[in-house]
Amino acid sequence: MGTARLSLLFAAAAIAAAVAVSLFMVWREGPAGGGSGVALIGGDFRMVDHTGRTVTGDDFAGRYRLVYFGFTYCPDVCPTELQNMTVALDQLGPLADRIVPIFVTVDPVRDDVATMAAYVEHFHPSFVGLTGSVEQVAATARTFRVYYAKVGDDPDAYLMDHSSYVYLMDRDGVYVTHFTPNTPPEQMAERIRRTIAS
Ligand code: NI
């Protein structure tokens, strides 16, 4: 590899790093750059749960929420995170009654009510699956600043690229914190325990 080629590579890496940092800052601070990021994640929503009932944020009032966005056809990332959430709730024992784990699909075309119902059964019994129209999903994902995009054109075999954070929201639906992918369930449970105790 020549020197010119190498410096081009370094330049590209530097640009990628700068873009990553600025995206993170936007996510943290909000587009205006001011205020805390806290109020900017989450908000009210209107979706359809896995029993076919229309639900809004008010339906979860008074309970903490652990929210994850993904899709049922996801080969590994989503099931892993949903399993981590399940283990964390199991570790919380009776405290888990105060938390609603919520799985929001970013693939409403395939993830209809029946598909969501069959899927959430694989995880913690208190899981609520949320789907809805393409617009409802887009609106909810936007409030949580969740990125997702369809990958591939095969109507049966496409994948969804998506951000993979577990959001902890308080009893009013206000953002508390989030967990990055592969956060150990013990750590998740500990943070939830602290939040409930505070
Ligand atoms: Ni996934």
Side-chain angles (χ1 to χ4, degrees), residues 68-71 73-79 160 162 164:
Y68 183 75
F69 289 75
F71 65 114
Y73 288 76
C74 183
D76 48 22
V77 177
C78 292
M160 300 295 290
H162 64 93
S164 184

Side-chain angles (χ1 to χ4, degrees), residues 49-51 72 79 82-83 86 90 101-103 112-130:
D49 76 8
H50 67 278
T51 70
T72 68
L82 296 172
Q83 186 57 30
T86 298
D90 284 342
I102 301 174
F103 175 53
D112 57 14
V113 168
T115 305
M116 292 297 278
Y119 190 69
V120 295
E121 277 204 346
H122 297 295
F123 304 100
H124 196 275
S126 62
F127 249 104
V128 173
L130 296 183

Side-chain angles (χ1 to χ4, degrees), residues 40-61:
L40 294 167
I41 293 176
D44 201 19
F45 58 85
R46 175 173 292 268
M47 297 193 76
V48 180
D49 76 8
H50 67 278
T51 70
R53 200 169 62 102
T54 293
V55 292
T56 67
D58 288 346
D59 288 281
F60 304 104

